[in-house]
Amino acid sequence: YLSMETSTEITRRGSGPIELALVLDVTGSMANNVAGGSVKKIQSLRDASDALLDVLFGEDETATSENVRVSVV
């Protein structure tokens, strides 16, 4: 068993709009637990997606931006 920790820093460089496409795995394997944990993979995906959207738009769930476009595949 290998214990790992991750962190991510997002730095926006330059000016102009951001166009982001998220390709999310929602197949049956996502119902399994994350290796060595009790959290389902799909829940980890949801949490990570929510955190990314909070970074891009802030925590206001009604926020919009003309400079950020996100699509989900």
Side-chain angles (χ1 to χ4, degrees):
Y1 175 70
L2 177 64
S3 178
M4 296 179 69
E5 184 176 315
T6 63
S7 69
T8 302
E9 180 177 328
I10 299 172
T11 304
R12 183 174 177 186
R13 299 185 189 270
S15 60
I18 296 173
E19 294 185 9
L20 177 66
L22 299 174
V23 180
L24 306 178
D25 180 359
V26 293
T27 60
S29 67
M30 295 299 283
N32 298 331
N33 289 353
V34 174
S38 61
V39 177
K40 301 284 185 195
K41 291 179 181 179
I42 193 71
Q43 187 60 51
S44 292
L45 175 64
R46 288 179 181 144
D47 293 345
S49 299
D50 284 345
L52 174 61
L53 294 175
D54 286 346
V55 168
L56 293 173
F57 293 101
E59 294 190 26
D60 180 358
E61 293 187 12
T62 63
T64 61
S65 174
E66 294 178 9
N67 294 319
V68 179
R69 293 181 182 179
V70 178
S71 61
V72 178
V73 178

